[in-house]
Amino acid sequence: MQKPALQNDRYLRALQKQPVDRTPVWMMRQAGRYLPEYKASRAEAGDFMSLCRNTELACEVTLQPLRRFDLDAAILFSDILTIPDAMGLELYFETGEGPKFAKPITTTRQIEQLTVPDMGSDLKYVTDAVSLIRQELQGKVPLIGFSGSPWTLATYMVEGGSTKNFSKVKKLMFAEPEAMHQLLDILADSVIAYLNAQIAAGAQSVMVFDTWGGVLSPRDYREFSLAYMEKIVRGVTKRSEDRDVPITLFTKNGGQWLEAMADAGSTALGIDWTTDLADARSRVGNQVALQGNMDPSVLYASPQRIEAEVKQILASYGHGTGHVFNLGHGIHPEVDPEHAGAFIEAIHKHSPKYHR
Ligand code: CP3
């Protein structure tokens, strides 16, 4: 089916360092619990995974933030833990406790038995959502697809859920590195198949979330996280619908090894607020575009304080293209939606002068 032409391609252009009229913006977790309409849809679905599996509702919550705010991209509503769920680990969410797996990885035997999930069956609900969202967007803004990094997915699979000290996954990494590599390799192959299925269904850009790479030593980061993201960059579809498909790598707390990340070959790097954008640009800005990096907690402060922070971040990146404004991590559920609106307005108001 012929897709409508893209009306706003600022986000794709900035990622590829083509000139833009203002800095594009979207927010990590822009569809989420800070929006009352999201909470209503989630209640209608019953629970989080039912929301992800319901094509119409997944599409609806993807579009909700775009109705409120003048955002430059939509991001698929789903989760990074859909892959391990499709591998048979059975994902569920316990209220207030975050994600959990009913059948976490506890033995190397389980790792040997893992296979790449079938995109046409086990994860079809995700590509169905992508197709419907593209249709409903009508070319308004581009759609971002995403996945977790192999290392980040492995942490949840081995720990069985969220963790503070990563003891189980690090025990596997240090005591049985071969089994760890086997797990990461099958996850990398799964992520490639998953992102390519999203691109085939209509995702116009993809992002890899490495939420937990920053808990590793620099050497272990390269061996157990970055190497597999590099494999993903190599394996992901580069062009679709006659356009390049940009890929963004985001390692939370990854500021100290940006040079190594830039060498992995992605279009862009996501950075959090613990790294200064001017510093990041001078270190890797010739190689990659940069996405970020306001501390999401600034959104708790007044609209005036938010505007001041936006101005500082725009000034720290400086003139020219190659910057996608975002939060350095997901928006918090307690944030007042009006403050998110003030954040986006401030970028619209103050960024055009950096593009003249
Ligand atoms: O950005 C978006 O709007 C798209 C949707 C999206 C979700 N999760 C929806 C979600 C994306 C891109 C993710 C990625 C994700 N999921 C990551 C990587 C990014 C990051 O935040 O570091 C991680 C680590 C996960 C795993 C995950 N999913 C956790 C830890 C949680 C619980 C956290 C919490 O806030 O309670 C989830 C659930 C989840 N995924 C929610 C949303 C909106 C909240 C679920 C709810 O409605 O209760």
Side-chain angles (χ1 to χ4, degrees):
M1 193 183 68
Q2 187 65 35
K3 300 209 167 71
L6 196 51
Q7 293 149 37
N8 170 355
D9 62 356
R10 250 180 225 114
Y11 162 77
L12 297 178
R13 291 182 61 85
L15 286 177
Q16 294 173 113
K17 297 198 189 174
Q18 295 159 356
V20 285
D21 56 345
R22 65 174 201 226
T23 306
V25 54
W26 67 280
M27 297 184 293
M28 282 171 67
R29 294 269 178 99
Q30 62 192 22
R33 284 167 296 180
Y34 73 108
L35 293 177
E37 58 270 35
Y38 170 83
K39 284 194 246 178
S41 297
R42 186 171 182 268
E44 193 184 330
D47 59 65
F48 178 74
M49 280 312 284
S50 305
L51 180 55
C52 294
R53 285 204 167 91
N54 181 317
T55 313
E56 279 75 30
L57 283 179
C59 175
E60 163 62 22
V61 296
T62 300
L63 300 179
Q64 284 170 351
L66 294 142
R67 291 190 197 116
R68 270 194 192 247
F69 312 120
D70 190 1
L71 293 156
D72 295 296
I75 180 161
L76 161 71
F77 186 81
S78 189
D79 199 75
I80 64 165
L81 301 178
T82 50
I83 287 182
D85 183 59
M87 286 174 149
L89 276 69
E90 292 178 21
L91 174 66
Y92 67 99
F93 284 81
E94 231 150 67
T95 329
E97 281 188 61
K100 288 229 161 72
F101 287 114
K103 298 177 180 167
I105 301 280
T106 54
T107 63
T108 51
R109 176 108 185 87
Q110 279 169 283
I111 295 175
E112 284 157 16
Q113 288 172 342
L114 292 173
T115 54
V116 174
D118 177 21
M119 300 301 144
S121 57
D122 305 340
L123 289 162
K124 189 168 179 294
Y125 67 95
V126 178
T127 47
D128 283 349
V130 170
S131 307
L132 184 64
I133 297 162
R134 265 304 292 280
Q135 197 181 312
E136 296 295 311
L137 274 173
Q138 300 272 338
K140 194 169 172 248
V141 292
L143 176 63
I144 307 169
F146 69 90
S147 170
S149 73
W151 166 255
T152 293
L153 294 177
T155 64
Y156 287 101
M157 291 167 79
V158 176
E159 298 288 340
S162 301
T163 173
K164 283 206 170 69
N165 51 18
F166 300 87
S167 49
K168 293 183 186 132
V169 71
K170 286 194 175 180
K171 180 179 173 195
L172 180 65
M173 177 178 92
F174 290 122
E176 297 180 87
E178 280 165 23
M180 188 74 217
H181 278 300
Q182 194 179 357
L183 173 58
L184 293 166
D185 203 52
I186 190 110
L187 285 169
D189 289 340
S190 303
V191 169
I192 292 168
Y194 188 52
L195 292 177
N196 287 346
Q198 291 180 35
I199 294 167
Q204 289 144 298
S205 167
V206 291
M207 174 153 171
V208 179
F209 290 94
D210 184 30
T211 308
W212 301 120
V215 304
L216 295 170
S217 73
R219 195 166 359 102
D220 293 331
Y221 172 72
R222 281 169 210 243
E223 180 177 343
F224 293 96
S225 184
L226 188 59
Y228 293 93
M229 291 201 283
E230 213 173 320
K231 181 174 182 182
I232 291 164
V233 170
R234 281 198 303 272
V236 161
T237 304
K238 304 282 179 297
R239 269 183 86 76
S240 181
E241 301 178 43
D242 287 326
R243 270 191 105 115
D244 288 349
V245 181
I247 175 164
T248 302
L249 301 182
F250 169 67
T251 294
K252 181 143 185 285
N253 280 311
Q256 61 168 320
W257 46 59
L258 289 181
E259 291 83 353
M261 289 183 75
D263 286 341
S266 69
T267 323
L269 299 181
I271 63 170
D272 66 36
W273 59 93
T274 61
T275 297
D276 182 72
L277 209 46
D279 178 45
R281 189 180 188 183
S282 73
R283 286 163 59 200
V284 297
N286 290 331
Q287 253 174 296
V288 286
L290 295 170
Q291 175 179 281
N293 72 338
M294 192 175 91
D295 185 336
S297 298
V298 175
L299 296 178
Y300 291 134
S302 67
Q304 293 73 23
R305 179 66 186 83
I306 293 166
E307 184 175 3
E309 191 71 20
V310 164
K311 284 172 81 173
Q312 275 179 359
I313 292 171
L314 286 170
S316 72
Y317 186 82
H319 276 83
T321 187
H323 180 210
V324 172
F325 216 119
N326 205 314
L327 304 171
H329 202 203
I331 188 167
H332 300 304
E334 308 82 14
V335 162
D336 180 342
E338 285 190 20
H339 288 207
F343 165 71
I344 292 152
E345 283 311 309
I347 296 153
H348 293 173
K349 181 172 159 198
H350 296 291
S351 69
K353 66 170 180 281
Y354 292 98
H355 299 283
R356 279 182 203 125

